[in-house]
């Protein structure tokens, strides 16, 4: 199944400024966002290095989501990041 079948009614946006979710300046931009009726429901950060998740700019982007009750996940380069895994995590945390 493709994404639009699995997430009917949702919109995927790319390259979202962290400021959109009130994150501090220089926070990591979100690679992808999952929106329903114009409201963010999940954010995904595609990170370059396996240790990037520790950096302030990534942590602050996660905290901005947390404050708004929006699920946020990292995709790390050393992990397989299969569609099935991403879909499972989103379903567990979004709907």
């Amino acid at each position: 199944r493709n994404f639009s079948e699995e997430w009917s009614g949702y919109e995927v946006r790319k390259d979202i400024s962290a400021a959109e979710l009130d994150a501090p300046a220089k926070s990591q931009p979100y690679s992808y966002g999952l929106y329903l009726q114009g409201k963010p429901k999940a954010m995904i950060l595609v990170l370059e290095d396996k240790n990037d998740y520790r950096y302030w700019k990534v942590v602050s982007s996660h905290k901005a989501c947390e404050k708004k009750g929006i699920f946020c996940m990292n995709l790390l380069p050393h992990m397989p990041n299969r569609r099935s895994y991403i879909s499972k995590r989103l379903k567990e945390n979004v709907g």
Side-chain angles (χ1 to χ4, degrees):
R1 295 189 331 165
N2 69 28
F3 186 87
S4 57
E5 288 174 2
E6 205 169 326
W7 294 91
S8 179
Y10 284 82
E11 171 194 0
V12 177
R13 297 182 191 172
K14 286 178 75 171
D15 303 319
I16 300 119
S17 167
E20 185 179 312
L21 298 181
D22 302 324
K26 298 190 179 171
S27 293
Q28 180 77 25
Y30 302 102
S31 305
Y32 298 95
L34 186 62
Y35 290 74
L36 183 61
Q37 297 172 345
K39 294 188 173 115
K41 298 295 178 182
M43 293 292 160
I44 297 173
L45 294 163
V46 178
L47 304 177
E48 304 281 319
D49 183 82
K50 66 181 182 180
N51 293 312
D52 283 358
Y53 74 95
R54 298 178 183 178
Y55 295 135
W56 176 90
K57 66 182 189 173
V58 172
V59 172
S60 63
S61 293
H62 270 272
K63 285 183 179 174
C65 282
E66 226 174 79
K67 285 181 185 172
K68 294 185 174 288
I70 298 166
F71 174 65
C72 186
M73 69 185 281
N74 296 329
L75 296 182
L76 302 165
H78 65 287
M79 304 298 283
N81 298 317
R82 289 190 180 86
R83 238 188 101 225
S84 57
Y85 166 76
I86 297 166
S87 182
K88 180 178 182 276
R89 292 278 321 272
L90 288 171
K91 281 185 179 155
E92 289 169 354
N93 293 283
V94 177

